[in-house]
Each structure stands twice: as C-alpha cells, then as structure tokens.
C-alpha cells in the first residue's frame, strides 16, 4: 500500500530548500553558478539617448558630450545648454563638477556651467588627473624630468606639490583633502604606497615586490589592491587586515563604501586547461563575500553603489552586491562606461555613446 505524503509536509520541504539555498548564497564564498543565479531576476534595459563622440555624467541631471574637439553640456533629453571648441587643448578629465584641459603646460579647470574656475601657467608637464574628490583635484606630472604629485583646490590654490621616487600609476585624495594616497612603481616593477597629509608631508610608505594597482581612503584607514593581495592599513601605516591570493589579480575597483572587487586568473606558471577567471567581492575587513566565475577576461570592472559592473567589448554584466546577475547588456565596440546612478548607465563605444536606463531600479 502506497503511503500518501501530506501536502503540508511537501510545502514545508519546499520552503526549507529555498531557505537553504538563500543561506548558501549569503554565507559561502564559493563560485556562484547557475543554481544560485536561478533566484535572480534579470532586469530590462532601454536606450534613452545616443550621440556621436564620448559622453560623461556632469552631475545632477546633466551630461557632457565631447566630439571632434567640441564639448557640449546637455540634459537627459539631449537639449544643449552650451558648447565650447577646445582647439589645440587636451581634455584631461571630465565628470561631475566640470572638466580640466591642458595646453603647453597651461592647466585650466572649468565648472559644469562652462565657466573658467582657474588657469595655471607653466605648471606640470604631461599632467594627468588622478582623482577629483570633493573640492580637491589630484594631479600627476613632471617637472625637469622628475615625477611630481600635486593637490589643488577648486580655486586653483596649490595645497602641495611634491616630488616622488618612481612612476605614479594611481592615487586618490579624501573628500576633505586631509589625506592623499599615491601608488608608485619603480624600474623593477615593484610597488610602493605612500600616504600624504594635507600639508604635503609623507606620513608613511609601504613597499611591495609586486605592483599596487589602486587604493582608497576610508574613515578608518587605507584600503589597497596589489597584484597578489588586498590589504588595509591604518593611518599610522600598520597593516590591520590582509587577504592573500594564490591567483593573480589583474583588474580591481574599490567602492565608496569600502567594498572591494577583484578579477583573478591563474598565474602563468600554474595554468591549467579549462581554468576561467573569476570575480571576487571582499568587504571592508578584507573578508571574501562571494566569487563569480567568468567565461572570459573583462576589459575592466567597476564597483558602484550596490552593484558590480563587468565590462567586455560587447557586453556588460551587472551583479548585485550579493553576487547575483541582475542585468546583461549586449552592445558593440564598448570602450568604457560611466555609472550615473543605480538606474542609468553611459556606454562609450568606439563610434559613439549611449545613455541606458535599467528598469526596476530606484
């Protein structure tokens, strides 16, 4: 005689199975596969605006468009507020708050309204913008064939200008300007990270045998990603957290919330067939939260707000902070992206740019 299973028992078993899967997603750090992403909901996207040239977010609901030497400021519908011809000038940086240009060692900073904030003549040779945080512009460049870093405010006042030993590969200042972290590389491709205070004094230096790719300043210290590890140092220069990887880190980003995302691949000496790269999310304490196996190597990755953007030349994957796939945006000839907010994304292509809306987000 066949024994009939009560409906309540079947319902309880189903609920229990869902709870187990959810706990696996939250608690483990193993590669996320199709079983976990079956619980995610892929969101739809639509194109709002398409333009020739490069687009960038200008802050609020405004955008910049740079094409054939002409820079325009426009709204989300494409209405142009102003335009400027930048003949003979190199556009160094463009983003929320304005843009910077350089010509023959003359640096100019313009605001989002198209008004000149300041001009610095005979300043730095071959300048590059490392970051623009709060009211502070962090620059790298050369003077008499030596590498320098400089911190300026929005009025053009040079807060400090210091020489450094090595090539500057990245850097970031805090929004208050109190601290600046610089990542350097020497002739042996070894890396070092230095912390500079608001007066331009180097507080400490951390040396590594591999390159330090990027770093970020948090309220309780400095987070950094090297080619073999992520680590956190306090403002006294002591390493307080660290996570070492056997695989090589080749892409990385640090969010404003302190969460870090890295892309890793097997080192050449350990290559095995079928081994694929993967994305790993770490919290501000350098603890692994999850990993996501990729089909191929991305151009770069970006952590913004609650999402991780994995950028290929023909596709953008968007993951939640829990590691679940939320969007897959198919496109062609992708060069880079600019995240406006959680529901809008700028995609710059080789032959133009587009503003994309992602539905279901606020």
């Amino acid at each position: 005689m066949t024994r009939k299973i009560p409906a309540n028992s079947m319902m309880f078993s189903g609920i229990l199975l869902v709870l187990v899967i959810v706990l696996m997603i939250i608690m483990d750090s193993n590669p996320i596969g199709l079983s976990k992403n079956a619980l995610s909901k892929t969101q739809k996207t639509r194109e709002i605006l398409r333009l020739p040239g490069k687009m960038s977010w200008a802050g609020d609901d405004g955008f910049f468009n740079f094409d054939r030497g002409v820079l325009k400021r426009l709204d989300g519908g494409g209405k142009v507020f102003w335009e400027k011809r930048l003949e003979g000038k190199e556009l160094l940086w463009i983003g929320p708050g304005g843009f910077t240009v350089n010509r023959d060692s003359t640096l100019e900073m313009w605001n989002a309204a198209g008004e000149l904030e300041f001009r610095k003549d005979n300043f730095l040779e071959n300048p590059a913008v490392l970051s623009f945080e709060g009211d502070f512009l962090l620059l790298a460049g050369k003077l008499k064939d030596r590498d320098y870093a400089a911190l300026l405010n929005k009025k053009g006042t040079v807060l400090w200008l210091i020489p450094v030993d090595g090539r500057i590969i990245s850097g970031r200042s805090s929004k208050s300007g109190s601290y600046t972290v610089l990542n350097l590389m020497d002739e042996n491709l070894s890396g070092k990270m230095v912390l500079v205070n608001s007066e331009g004094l180097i507080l400490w230096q951390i040396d590594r045998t591999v390159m330090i790719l990027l770093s970020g300043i948090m309220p309780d210290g400095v987070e950094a990603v090297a080619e073999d590890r992520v680590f956190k140092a306090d403002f006294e220069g002591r390493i307080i957290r660290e996570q070492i990887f056997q695989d090589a880190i080749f892409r990385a980003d640090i969010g404003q919330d302190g969460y870090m995302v890295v892309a890793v691949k097997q080192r050449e000496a350990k290559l095995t067939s079928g081994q694929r790269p993967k994305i790993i999310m770490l919290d501000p304490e350098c603890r692994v939260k999850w990993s996501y196996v990729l089909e191929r190597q991305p151009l770069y990755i970006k952590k913004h707000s609650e999402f991780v953007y994995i950028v290929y030349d023909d596709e953008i994957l968007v993951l939640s902070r829990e590691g679940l796939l939320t969007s897959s945006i198919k496109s062609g000839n992708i060069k880079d992206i600019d995240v406006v907010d959680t529901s809008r994304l700028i995609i710059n292509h080789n032959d133009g740019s587009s503003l994309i809306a992602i539905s279901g987000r606020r």
Side-chain angles (χ1 to χ4, degrees):
M1 183 177 179
T2 303
R3 184 170 177 266
K4 187 175 181 180
I5 301 175
N8 291 341
S9 298
M10 294 179 64
M11 182 180 297
F12 176 77
S13 299
I15 294 173
L16 183 61
L17 177 60
V18 172
L19 288 174
V20 169
I21 294 175
V22 171
L23 285 173
M24 288 172 61
I25 294 172
I26 295 173
M27 298 179 64
D28 78 356
S29 60
N30 294 321
I32 291 177
L34 294 177
S35 61
K36 293 183 179 180
N37 270 309
L39 294 180
S40 65
K41 182 179 179 181
T42 302
Q43 296 161 327
K44 295 181 180 180
T45 61
R46 63 182 178 87
E47 185 176 86
I48 302 174
L49 183 66
R50 176 175 285 270
L51 295 170
K54 177 183 174 66
M55 281 184 69
S56 183
W57 183 41
D60 297 325
D61 198 35
F63 299 89
F64 290 119
N65 175 231
F66 183 62
D67 182 43
R68 301 177 184 179
V70 177
L71 180 66
K72 300 177 182 179
R73 171 89 192 295
L74 39 84
D75 65 13
K79 178 184 177 181
V80 177
F81 294 118
W82 54 258
E83 64 178 63
K84 292 185 181 296
R85 183 167 294 277
L86 305 180
E87 292 182 351
K89 297 180 180 180
E90 179 188 5
L91 184 63
L92 297 180
W93 173 85
I94 186 171
F99 60 97
T100 59
V101 296
N102 179 66
R103 181 177 182 179
D104 299 329
S105 298
T106 296
L107 180 75
E108 296 176 353
M109 176 75 193
W110 297 72
N111 61 27
E115 302 165 338
L116 181 66
E117 291 283 355
F118 67 81
R119 178 182 287 113
K120 304 292 291 186
D121 294 320
N122 303 315
F123 189 46
L124 287 172
E125 301 169 4
N126 302 317
V129 175
L130 300 176
S131 74
F132 188 78
E133 300 284 346
D135 293 331
F136 300 96
L137 181 67
L138 179 62
L139 298 169
K142 287 184 176 290
L143 285 174
K144 297 180 180 180
D145 295 325
R146 185 168 184 185
D147 287 270
Y148 276 76
L151 186 68
L152 290 71
N153 62 21
K154 287 186 69 173
K155 296 181 180 179
T157 303
V158 179
L159 304 179
W160 51 257
L161 174 68
I162 59 172
V164 295
D165 295 322
R167 176 188 168 195
I168 303 174
I169 60 173
S170 63
R172 187 180 291 182
S173 290
S174 61
K175 291 185 177 180
S176 65
S178 300
Y179 294 104
T180 297
V181 60
L182 300 172
N183 302 307
L184 312 172
M185 180 180 65
D186 63 19
E187 64 276 5
N188 298 317
L189 302 184
S190 297
K192 60 182 175 182
M193 182 172 71
V194 297
L195 186 69
V196 185
N197 68 9
S198 59
E199 298 176 348
L201 298 176
I202 295 178
L203 302 178
W204 48 254
Q205 173 179 312
I206 294 175
D207 296 291
R208 287 285 182 261
T209 57
V210 298
M211 283 198 301
I212 299 175
L213 304 177
L214 77 162
S215 52
I217 299 175
M218 302 298 153
D220 57 346
V222 179
E223 295 179 358
V225 180
E227 291 181 302
D228 63 348
R229 70 190 67 200
V230 301
F231 61 94
K232 189 172 188 175
D234 63 19
F235 291 119
E236 302 299 321
R238 296 184 294 260
I239 303 297
I240 56 177
R241 300 284 186 274
E242 189 172 53
Q243 183 76 238
I244 300 174
F245 293 95
Q246 297 298 319
D247 295 332
I249 298 174
F250 66 98
R251 299 284 186 270
D253 196 24
I254 300 175
Q256 296 288 345
D257 56 5
Y259 277 77
M260 296 167 279
V261 58
V262 299
V264 301
K265 62 181 179 180
Q266 278 196 315
R267 300 183 187 277
E268 292 184 5
K270 298 181 179 180
L271 283 177
T272 58
S273 60
Q275 184 71 22
R276 295 184 294 177
K278 59 183 177 181
I279 297 289
I280 299 175
M281 171 73 86
L282 301 101
D283 68 12
E285 301 303 314
C286 300
R287 296 174 299 203
V288 174
K289 304 304 292 181
W290 51 261
S291 62
Y292 187 99
V293 177
L294 302 175
E295 296 292 333
R296 50 195 168 131
Q297 290 190 24
L299 296 176
Y300 70 95
I301 56 179
K302 186 174 184 64
K303 167 72 175 65
H304 186 277
S305 186
E306 299 295 313
F307 299 94
V308 176
Y309 299 81
I310 305 169
V311 182
Y312 300 100
D313 61 356
D314 60 354
E315 183 182 20
I316 302 166
L317 300 179
V318 186
L319 307 181
S320 69
R321 200 165 72 171
E322 292 73 34
L324 297 178
L325 180 66
T326 65
S327 300
S328 174
I329 304 170
K330 301 289 186 180
S331 192
N333 301 315
I334 299 173
K335 291 180 62 178
D336 60 60
I337 66 170
D338 189 3
V339 182
V340 178
D341 50 38
T342 57
S343 62
R344 293 179 297 173
L345 177 69
I346 293 172
I347 304 176
N348 287 302
H349 312 266
N350 290 329
D351 54 354
S353 54
S354 53
L355 176 63
I356 302 295
I358 302 176
S359 64
R361 292 191 189 172
R362 293 183 179 180

